[in-house]
Amino acid sequence: MESKFKEAVSGKSERCNDTDCEKVADLLNAVVDGEVTAEEQEFFNAHIEDCISCFESHDKQKLLKGLVSGHLKRIIVPESLALSIKAKIQETV
Amino acid sequence: MSKEEKDARFEAELLPVLDPLYNFAYRLTLDEDDANDLVQETYLKAYRFFDYFEQGTNAKAWLFRILKNSFINEFRKKSKQPAKVDYSEVEGYYNTDDVEGESGVATTSDMRTQSVQDLIGDEVAGALNALPVDFRTVIILCDLEGFTYEEMAKILDIPIGTVRSRLHRARNSLKEKLEKYAKSMGYNS
Ligand SMILES: [Zn+2]
């Protein structure tokens, strides 16, 4: 797994130009958050098809988001909380 | 509207948000008692301003905004400093010899077991809790609660451009903190 990864990172495509890579890097968060326009998404998709380095960056950004959304434990709400909120509201005029 | 009607409407529209709201409060304060107080305060404020709440609009974003303001304006001052989670303690789990080298495949299959899933959750929580509260906030709102950038801008009273840049910096910080862990899982950078 590790060696495959290193190979992937070092293999920057010749068709890749740095200006486009910068644009893609700027779009990374918006892409994983679904906050890009259709044109931006299209440009992004086309670029990562050719550029392995940006492809990997995208993968890592998805992984990072997934670590929070998929692994962070939710805290159980104490049962008394809803009751005490209701009680306080009923007292309020 | 009678008080009974108002109370019923209030409970029906706003109490379903209790779970995410409490979780948000906990991630801000890092203390269950403080989270409890903050959530109660938020609901009492919401009740006082309930006439201004437009029925059918985004109740969750509205309550999150009230809670965030309470936290900044009053709570942050009076609450006890949250105990910092010692990140190095959690890191220790992944620095043991058996995660390294040849046993890489075994580690991957172990990942499917519940106890390791819990460790990942603890690791993420430790890294997140070590971030400044502004960074923690945008990550929670975006990744855990699924708010859009526009909703986040409203909750935080900042322009969307600031949401983007803050999220960018927050994720970079989180990435840095999780790097050791990521390396042990084979995601070398
Ligand atoms: Zn590229």
Side-chain angles (χ1 to χ4, degrees):
Chain A
M1 190 177 198
E2 197 177 305
S3 63
K4 195 179 155 201
F5 197 91
K6 276 180 186 154
E7 186 186 302
V9 170
S10 62
K12 197 171 179 178
S13 163
E14 283 170 23
R15 290 167 69 186
C16 191
N17 80 66
D18 289 344
T19 325
D20 280 0
C21 289
E22 270 171 38
K23 267 192 228 165
V24 161
D26 285 343
L27 285 174
L28 266 185
N29 282 307
V31 166
V32 298
D33 295 331
E35 295 269 354
V36 282
T37 63
E39 295 89 62
E40 285 170 332
Q41 186 72 58
E42 215 171 286
F43 162 78
F44 188 92
N45 291 347
H47 181 84
I48 63 168
E49 254 178 53
D50 284 336
C51 178
I52 201 121
S53 148
C54 289
F55 179 85
E56 290 295 348
S57 303
H58 181 227
D59 255 12
K60 276 197 260 181
Q61 207 69 3
K62 280 192 290 188
L63 175 83
L64 184 72
K65 190 179 168 82
L67 279 176
V68 177
S69 61
H71 290 282
L72 196 65
K73 265 171 266 166
R74 295 201 76 96
I75 314 293
I76 313 264
V77 183
E79 277 176 37
S80 58
L81 185 53
L83 293 174
S84 65
I85 289 166
K86 283 182 195 173
K88 279 194 179 163
I89 281 161
Q90 274 164 22
E91 289 165 16
T92 310
V93 184
Chain B
M1 181 167 41
S2 73
K3 175 157 170 62
E4 285 72 29
E5 282 167 337
K6 183 183 171 183
D7 288 3
R9 226 192 88 196
F10 181 86
E11 287 178 19
E13 294 215 26
L14 302 187
L15 274 187
V17 188
L18 181 59
D19 185 281
L21 202 62
Y22 180 77
N23 272 268
F24 183 44
Y26 178 78
R27 293 293 166 200
L28 289 177
T29 60
L30 303 179
D31 182 281
E32 291 188 15
D33 291 334
D34 287 348
N36 226 297
D37 293 349
L38 189 53
V39 167
Q40 291 204 33
E41 199 178 309
T42 301
Y43 271 105
L44 283 180
K45 267 189 203 164
Y47 188 75
R48 262 178 254 136
F49 291 100
F50 194 48
D51 294 339
Y52 298 95
F53 173 70
E54 288 171 50
Q55 202 164 2
T57 60
N58 195 335
K60 188 177 170 186
W62 189 62
L63 283 171
F64 269 63
R65 185 168 183 275
I66 295 174
L67 187 138
K68 187 268 317 177
N69 285 336
S70 297
F71 176 71
I72 287 176
N73 296 335
E74 303 146 45
F75 209 82
R76 222 164 172 176
K77 286 172 234 159
K78 72 184 177 199
S79 85
K80 45 187 181 282
Q81 261 317 96
K84 277 262 182 270
V85 173
D86 187 357
Y87 187 66
S88 59
E89 263 177 43
V90 198
E91 273 174 356
Y93 283 117
Y94 299 100
N95 292 336
T96 50
D97 288 335
D98 56 356
V99 229
E100 314 246 319
E102 298 302 308
S103 61
V105 179
T107 307
T108 310
S109 61
D110 284 348
M111 267 182 74
R112 297 191 191 96
T113 68
Q114 192 52 46
S115 64
V116 177
Q117 289 292 342
D118 286 349
L119 284 183
I120 296 171
D122 291 348
E123 185 81 17
V124 174
L128 196 65
N129 294 351
L131 295 183
V133 70
D134 283 349
F135 284 1
R136 209 156 67 219
T137 302
V138 286
I139 288 179
I140 294 296
L141 293 179
C142 186
D143 296 342
L144 204 64
E145 297 304 339
F147 284 113
T148 64
Y149 290 179
E150 201 185 336
E151 288 167 334
M152 287 164 72
K154 282 182 188 153
I155 291 169
L156 301 173
D157 291 304
I158 53 177
I160 285 195
T162 311
V163 170
R164 288 176 188 272
S165 59
R166 196 175 290 177
L167 194 57
H168 180 76
R169 286 183 294 140
R171 286 203 174 127
N172 283 348
S173 286
L174 184 67
K175 219 184 284 181
E176 223 171 81
K177 302 226 182 280
L178 285 168
E179 209 152 73
K180 264 202 172 149
Y181 156 74
K183 270 180 187 161
S184 74
M185 288 294 162
Y187 292 100
N188 287 34
S189 53

